[in-house]
Structures are given as structure tokens and as C-alpha cells.
Amino acid sequence: MTRPRTLLVDDPVLERSPFGSSHPFRAERGALTRALLEACGALHQDEVADVERLDERLLGAVHEQAYLEALIRAGRGERVDDARMFGLGTSDCPVVPGMHRVAMRAADATVSAAELVASGAAQRAVHLTGGLHHAHRARASGFCLVNDLALAIEHLTRRRGLRVAYVDVDVHHGDGVQGIFWERADVLTVSVHQSGRTLFPGTGAEDEIGAGAGRGFAVNLPLAPFIDDAGYLAAFDALVPTALSAFGPDVIVLQAGADAHWRDPLAQLSLSGDGLDAVYGRVIDLAERCCEGRMVVTGGGGYDAWRSVPRAWARLWARLAERELPDELPETWRRAWGERLGVSLPTRLREGTLPDLDARATERAASHALAVAKRVAARLTPLWRRED
Amino acid sequence: MLVRDVMTVNVIAIGPEMPIRDVAALMEMRRVRHFPILEDDEQGEARLVGIVSDRDLRAVDSPHPSARPDVHVSDPVRSIMVTPVATAHPDDAAEDVAAWLREYRVGALPVLDGEQLVGIVSPPDLLAALALPAAIREPSSVLEVEVGNRPGCLAALLQTLAQHGLNVSQLTTTRAEPEIGCFIVRVNTIDAPRVAGNLTREGWTVLWPEPDAAPPASPQRGPEVEEVA
Ligand SMILES: [Zn+2]
């Protein structure tokens, strides 16, 4: 029997948001996407893998003990005096009973996905409710408590001895992951995002390149608001492929946030559904070229939660698992999940409405992005040269 | 911001008798563009007597119109140094020094505390200092809000943000007109459109980001009905 090449890691707990149901971070997006794939016949029972329990020591390698203690105590409803110092009890990361357990389950799931790929059980493994890239060593931030991506990367590098290229196409800068691997040369972090001058968290400028042994191993491509598909892809192509092939990863970890979509209410880029799909496709192609297709993939941001996100991530899975999806989305899925969420779900896979672009703004954003991409590539290329 | 906070303190000074050719070599080696020149006075105290720049050195024995035919690279640097020297004090404001550099048309000012040379300040020092307010201090979103140019208006904005549980980590102003000022605040949330929406509903004019259209979230509220594409 041949093993499926692509596996989805999932667990019922992952449907819950650590912050409860009135918070904008919608954990149901993963289950909604999974249900859509099942309804389309694009995901089979034997392609779903269970979540394995996380090794506590891994947690300690990524997060500071004081932060973990504060998180657990806050989640247990105990008083934490310096909660705000750890980014807890803020409007983004309110203290909710049990939040630490949900967050750690999500981290378990991404590490499980990493291990499936490292062990060869899968070529690609996906965890849709992961991708919590804003969690720092000692600080919760931007809806993220535990940095599942950093844990997975730590597992792949330190335990499995693999070189990891992290590619983050969430519209927000992947600040937590970048910070945690800032001085590491065995992890290349690449983040393509809306510039910090106009968007949270503010970092991700092109001159952030890593430090010490890791100098040159943090790559940032900040983009101006309103950039469209063509502008984004041209800038991406001018920088990311060169970086990845120079680095030569054993595996790519992709944070596939869907919030660069034009409908996303939290950000201002103008990518279409087809554009996002093309971005995901680019990274998958790069994995084929650089590391025999090995990929650990997570979801991430995406706040047009019931409309753009399930479509984007269903298409992502279809690419990873090499499936075809019908353009007409199953009525059974629309009815069941529409009722459950109290929303009306899209009827088609491809969006009927495209962004209303201001030609001058998109053109300026594109021209600037290409210049930035070329500058970063020119500056970092000498640093990527490996001595072998 | 004061000069003492931005100046370069590891300043290399030379004596007035050093031959110009040696000064040029030293400047090349130390990768600087200016040397303050010190000479002992009658009491044996080192005093600032001049300054020489890379441009002054390059003019010597060159066809440049400002080159003096009577000076050669073997002469002491005293013969070309600029004197008296425009200087700054450690407690001068960095903003003032930026203006003086343009006004005096010089590339650096030695910093004197009394008679003692304690540093040198040049455009790169000032640029680094002036860029500092833009550096990101904590994960935050940017809001651009119009605020009345009257006592209490800015305080009211900050008060409103505090009531929404937000911490302001940075505050800058982009313009101030007779009636209206415009402030950029960085607040510790990823959900800036929601904050912009709340501010707008409370009567503020928010220029960035575009406010969300949703009414304020209530815990009972289910997800909004979405338009079908
Ligand atoms: Zn995001």
C-alpha cells in the first residue's frame, strides 16, 4: 500500500478558538474548509492524521518559562499580575478559561504535521488552524499565544537535523517566527507582507536581515497597500526563488494566511482568490524544485472568514493533494455549515467579484515592490553563498 | 534629543604639525571624514585649534580652483585647517545642530564641554537619531486620526483609546493646521479597522485605516450575514 502523499492533521478541539466565539479569530475556518473538501470528495478519511502530544521540552526551547507559566495560570483562571507584560489580557489576546489548552493543541498539531513529513510518512502535511506567527518568545500578540510554527521548525531542525525554509505569505509580517530564529543560519525565514508602515505589527522592513550567525537568513518583502496579483507575483518572483535555491532547504514550512485577499477586513492588499492560489502554487513549485516537495503547511490569518478563506484553503489543499475541485460548491456543505455559522456561504469556488482597483495606486505599489525585492536580493545574495 | 545622546564619542583628534599626506592616510585608514585638531596651550592643556575635512585634504596639490599653490602634501596640516572652529555643546538640541550644519555648510561639528573635546556630531549621527521615533517599539497597528487643534482634543483621543483597552506606544504628528491637527498613533492591536470603526462611530475622523462597517461587537452576536459572491 502506498501512503497518501499529503495528509491533513486535525482534531475536534481545533475547531474552538482559544478566545471564544465572539473574537475575530475564527478557528472554525479549518473545519469549514475540511467539510468543504469532504463534500467535494477531495479529502478522504485515510488522509486525515491525528494530533500527537507535544513534548514539553520543545515548548521550553521556543518560549520563555515565565511566559508559559503566565499563560497557563491565566488560562486556569488564576491571577497573573504582570499579564499585560506578556501581552495577555489585551483586546487581541483576552484571557479566556482554557485558552492555553486550545493553543497548545494547535501547536501539537503543527508539530505533528512536521513529524509526519520528517519521518517520511507524508510528503506534505497540513494543519489549517495553525500558523500563529505573531507569538513571541515571551509575549502573546495579534491573536497568537503559542508559536506552533516555531515549535515545528525547532523540531525539524534540532531533532531531525533538517534545514528549514519558512515562507510566510500572511498579509502581516511573521514577526514571532523571525524573532525566534533571528540568529540562526539553519532556518531561513521569508516573509512577504503589507508594510509595517501601514499594518500590524509594524516590523518586517527590508533592512531586517537577521543577526550574528543568522545574518542574511531573515528575508523581508514589505508591500505597499493596494498591490494586486501581478505586482505581488512579480516582486515575489524577483526575490523568493533565488533565496530558496541559494539556501537549499530540506523542507519548506509555509504559513498560508489568506488575509492578503482584497476582501480581508484587517488589511489593505488587493489580491484576488486566483492571486492567492497562484502564490500558494509558487511555493509548492519551489518545494518541488528545492526539497523534493517536502512541505509543512499551516493556515494563518484570514478574516473574511466564511467567504474568501474556505475557498482559498480548499484550493491550497487541492494543489497539495493534486485534486480537482468543482466550481459549483456542494449544496449540502452550504446548507449545513451556513446554518451552523448563521451565514450564507459562497456558491462558487472562484469569486464572482474582483477588487475595484485604483490603477495608479496598484501600479505604484507594484513598481515599488519590485524595486524592494531586487534591492533585498542584491544585498543578501552574497550572504547566502554557502561555503561548500 | 540632545547632542550628548547622538554624538560619536570615540573621536580621533590629531596635532597641527602632522604632514598633510599622513593625515590623508590616517583618514583613509580610520574611515572618517573629519579630524579635530588639538594643540597644547601654555598650561599644557589640549585645546581645539582647528578642523580638517577630507575635502580640504583632497584639494591639496590638485587642479581644483580652491587649491592653494603654496601648500603641498608635505606641509603640516596647520596650513590648511579651518579655524576658528564651529562647535556644539553636549546639551545643545540635536534638531538645532541639524540646522547649523546646513547654515555653516560644514560636515561635522566637534562637541566641546568647556574646553574639552568630548565628541563629534555629523549627519549620520543626526539621521539615526531622527529616525528613532519611527522605530517600532512593540507589535502595533497604525491609526491616523484628525484631532482638533485645541486644548484637550488630543487628550480626549488618548482617553478614548484607553477606554477601548488599548496601549499607545507611539505618537507622532504629520500636520497641524489652525483648526485641525493630524496624529499618527500606534496601538497594540492587530484589529485596527475595528478601532477605526469604533472611533468613527464616536465622532472622530479616521484617515487610516478604513473603518470597518460593522456595529460594535456584542458577545451575543453571531457572525454577520455575508454577501454571496
Ligand atoms: Zn495575518
Side-chain angles (χ1 to χ4, degrees), chain A residues 5 36 43 48 79 109 128 147 187 200 211 224-225 232 236 263 271 278 282 287 297 300 302 321 326 361 366 373 388:
Chain A
R5 302 175 70 221
L36 172 58
L43 172 69
V48 180
R79 195 185 147 81
L128 290 175
N147 200 313
V187 179
F200 184 91
Y232 186 112
F236 183 99
R263 276 195 198 273
L271 264 64
R282 290 289 208 279
V297 180
D388 57 21

Side-chain angles (χ1 to χ4, degrees), chain A residues 24 84 91-92 134 139 141 143 172 196-198 200-202 225 263 265-266 268 304 306-307 311 341-344 347, chain B residues 136 138-142 164-167 186 188-191 193-194 208-209 218-219 223-229:
Chain A
R84 293 189 71 90
S91 60
D92 286 0
H134 295 309
R139 188 191 188 105
S141 170
F143 309 157
H172 301 96
R197 283 175 44 98
T198 56
F200 184 91
R263 276 195 198 273
L266 255 57
Q268 291 84 19
D304 184 38
W306 319 127
R307 194 168 37 184
R311 293 195 281 204
L341 297 168
V343 298
S344 67
T347 52
Chain B
I136 300 304
E138 65 171 40
S140 51
S141 291
V142 66
H164 288 288
L166 296 168
N167 182 52
R186 293 205 71 107
N188 63 331
T189 177
I190 191 173
D191 201 350
R194 178 147 84 167
W208 183 269
S218 72
E224 309 83 1
V225 173
E226 304 279 315
E227 165 218 334
V228 180

Side-chain angles (χ1 to χ4, degrees), chain A residues 131 133-134 142-144 168-173 199-200 255 257-260 264 266-267 300-303, chain B residues 190:
Chain A
H133 61 166
H134 295 309
F143 309 157
C144 303
D168 184 325
V169 298
D170 189 283
V171 76
H172 301 96
H173 175 230
L199 192 70
F200 184 91
Q255 200 272 23
D259 43 9
D264 197 277
L266 255 57
Y303 305 94
Chain B
I190 191 173

Side-chain angles (χ1 to χ4, degrees), chain B residues 1-2 5 19 29 40 51 68 72 90 92 122 124 129 133 142 166 171 178 186 189-190 204 224 229:
Chain B
M1 188 104 45
L2 300 177
D5 302 321
M29 196 172 80
D40 287 351
I51 187 166
R68 283 163 42 196
H72 303 288
D92 283 327
S122 64
V142 66
L166 296 168
L171 179 65
R186 293 205 71 107
T189 177
I190 191 173
W204 296 93
E224 309 83 1

Side-chain angles (χ1 to χ4, degrees), chain B residues 13-198:
Chain B
I14 57 172
E17 304 311 326
M18 188 184 264
I20 290 169
R21 129 176 0 102
D22 296 355
V23 177
L26 185 64
M27 195 173 274
E28 183 75 21
M29 196 172 80
R30 307 306 291 262
R31 297 171 157 271
V32 293
R33 313 188 88 142
H34 297 87
F35 282 137
I37 298 169
L38 298 180
E39 185 173 31
D40 287 351
D41 65 8
E42 292 94 54
Q43 282 79 42
E45 304 276 348
R47 294 275 182 257
L48 180 69
V49 294
I51 187 166
V52 65
S53 73
D54 56 343
R55 273 177 60 191
D56 302 333
L57 295 171
R58 273 201 306 272
V60 177
D61 283 337
S62 80
H64 196 273
S66 74
R68 283 163 42 196
D70 57 320
V71 179
H72 303 288
V73 290
S74 53
D75 292 335
V77 69
R78 183 195 296 280
S79 53
I80 57 162
M81 71 184 186
V82 174
T83 186
V85 192
T87 63
H89 186 275
D91 287 330
D92 283 327
E95 296 84 344
D96 291 345
V97 171
W100 299 341
L101 288 175
R102 282 199 306 276
E103 200 175 315
Y104 305 154
R105 297 173 152 274
V106 295
L109 293 181
V111 183
L112 290 185
D113 190 354
E115 295 293 323
Q116 206 195 342
L117 180 70
V118 293
I120 190 163
V121 60
S122 64
D125 303 322
L126 292 166
L127 286 172
L130 297 176
L132 211 56
I136 300 304
R137 288 178 175 73
E138 65 171 40
S140 51
S141 291
V142 66
L143 291 171
E144 196 170 355
V145 188
E146 281 190 1
V147 177
N149 201 8
R150 294 184 306 283
C153 289
L154 178 60
L157 173 66
L158 298 178
Q159 187 65 39
T160 305
L161 293 171
Q163 278 159 5
H164 288 288
L166 296 168
N167 182 52
V168 174
S169 55
Q170 273 157 271
L171 179 65
T172 45
T173 177
T174 50
R175 64 186 163 88
E177 289 163 17
E179 288 301 315
I180 270 297
C182 181
F183 282 88
I184 294 178
V185 286
R186 293 205 71 107
V187 290
N188 63 331
T189 177
I190 191 173
D191 201 350
R194 178 147 84 167
V195 180
N198 287 335

Side-chain angles (χ1 to χ4, degrees), chain A residues 166-357:
Chain A
Y166 169 71
V167 180
D168 184 325
V169 298
D170 189 283
V171 76
H172 301 96
H173 175 230
D175 56 344
V177 181
Q178 173 180 290
I180 289 164
F181 299 103
W182 187 244
E183 297 189 22
R184 292 265 295 267
D186 56 341
V187 179
L188 177 79
T189 64
V190 180
S191 182
V192 185
H193 48 265
Q194 185 178 330
S195 158
R197 283 175 44 98
T198 56
L199 192 70
F200 184 91
T203 47
E206 62 182 278
D207 61 355
E208 294 172 23
I209 62 169
R215 190 174 140 80
F217 294 90
V219 180
N220 284 292
L221 179 51
L223 307 168
F226 313 119
I227 196 165
D228 66 354
D229 295 347
Y232 186 112
L233 291 168
F236 183 99
D237 290 342
L239 174 61
V240 184
T242 336
L244 290 191
S245 55
F247 179 73
D250 299 312
V251 53
I252 290 179
V253 174
L254 168 65
Q255 200 272 23
D259 43 9
H261 191 273
W262 67 276
R263 276 195 198 273
D264 197 277
L266 255 57
Q268 291 84 19
L269 297 195
S270 298
L271 264 64
S272 68
D274 285 346
L276 266 184
D277 185 50
V279 173
Y280 298 152
R282 290 289 208 279
V283 183
I284 295 168
D285 288 347
L286 287 169
E288 287 297 334
R289 283 223 308 265
C290 303
C291 50
E292 296 158 344
R294 279 188 295 276
M295 289 182 86
V296 177
V297 180
T298 69
Y303 305 94
D304 184 38
W306 319 127
R307 194 168 37 184
S308 312
V309 176
R311 293 195 281 204
W313 289 351
R315 291 173 78 172
L316 170 63
W317 170 265
R319 276 188 181 273
L320 290 164
E322 294 164 21
R323 301 290 148 77
E324 293 291 328
L325 292 174
D327 191 43
E328 194 144 334
L329 300 180
E331 190 53 34
T332 47
W333 172 75
R334 292 193 63 232
R335 194 164 330 112
W337 279 82
E339 257 168 45
R340 180 165 163 187
L341 297 168
V343 298
S344 67
L345 292 169
T347 52
R348 293 187 176 279
L349 185 68
R350 290 201 162 66
E351 57 197 353
T353 323
L354 289 175
D356 188 13
L357 299 173

